Amino acid sequence: QVQLVESGGGLVQAGGSLRLSCAASGSEYSIGTMAWYRQAPGKQREWVAFITTSGGITNYADSVRGRFTISRDNAKNTVYLQMNNLKPEDTAVYYCNRRPPSSLWGQGTQVTVSS
C-alpha cells in the first residue's frame, strides 16, 4: 500500500502563497495519476487538480484554475501544489491521492487563509 503524507500547509493572508508537498512511500509500484483534494469545514471533499504520471497532462477545478499549479517529481515520489493568490474560500484541509482516489487517505495538511 502507498502511504501519502501531506505537508506545507499553514496560515497565510489573503493574496499570499503556499506550496504543498505530498510524499508517497511504501509501494514499489508507480503512483500513477495523482490529484489534490480539499475539504472545508462542513463541506464534502472536492477535487482540486490532477496530474498524469509523466506530468504531461494537468487539469484544475474552476475555482482554482489560474491560481494553483500541480507538479510532480517522480524520482522523489512527490507531488506538489503551488497555491498563489490565496483566498479565504481556499481554507480547507488539503489531501493528495490517486485519481480516482483509493480508499486510503493521509491526514492532510491544513491551509487557513485569513481575510
Side-chain angles (χ1 to χ4, degrees), residues 70-90:
I70 187 171
S71 61
R72 66 193 298 164
D73 185 340
N74 289 337
K76 296 180 179 179
N77 282 345
T78 303
V79 182
Y80 305 95
L81 186 68
Q82 178 67 47
M83 306 184 296
N84 297 325
N85 192 23
L86 284 161
K87 303 175 180 180
E89 50 263 45
D90 294 319

Side-chain angles (χ1 to χ4, degrees), residues 49-104:
F50 75 76
I51 184 168
T52 52
T53 305
S54 64
I57 301 174
T58 60
N59 207 352
Y60 303 89
D62 290 343
S63 59
V64 307
R65 186 176 292 111
R67 300 187 297 117
F68 291 9
T69 302
I70 187 171
S71 61
R72 66 193 298 164
D73 185 340
N74 289 337
K76 296 180 179 179
N77 282 345
T78 303
V79 182
Y80 305 95
L81 186 68
Q82 178 67 47
M83 306 184 296
N84 297 325
N85 192 23
L86 284 161
K87 303 175 180 180
E89 50 263 45
D90 294 319
T91 296
V93 178
Y94 283 71
Y95 303 87
C96 64
N97 208 326
R98 296 175 62 91
R99 176 77 167 180
S102 74
S103 61
L104 301 177

Side-chain angles (χ1 to χ4, degrees), residues 1 6 8 30 33-37 46 51 56 60-61 63 106 112-113:
Q1 299 181 27
E6 300 93 343
S30 172
T33 297
M34 294 293 294
W36 284 96
Y37 306 82
E46 64 176 347
I51 184 168
Y60 303 89
S63 59
T112 303
V113 184

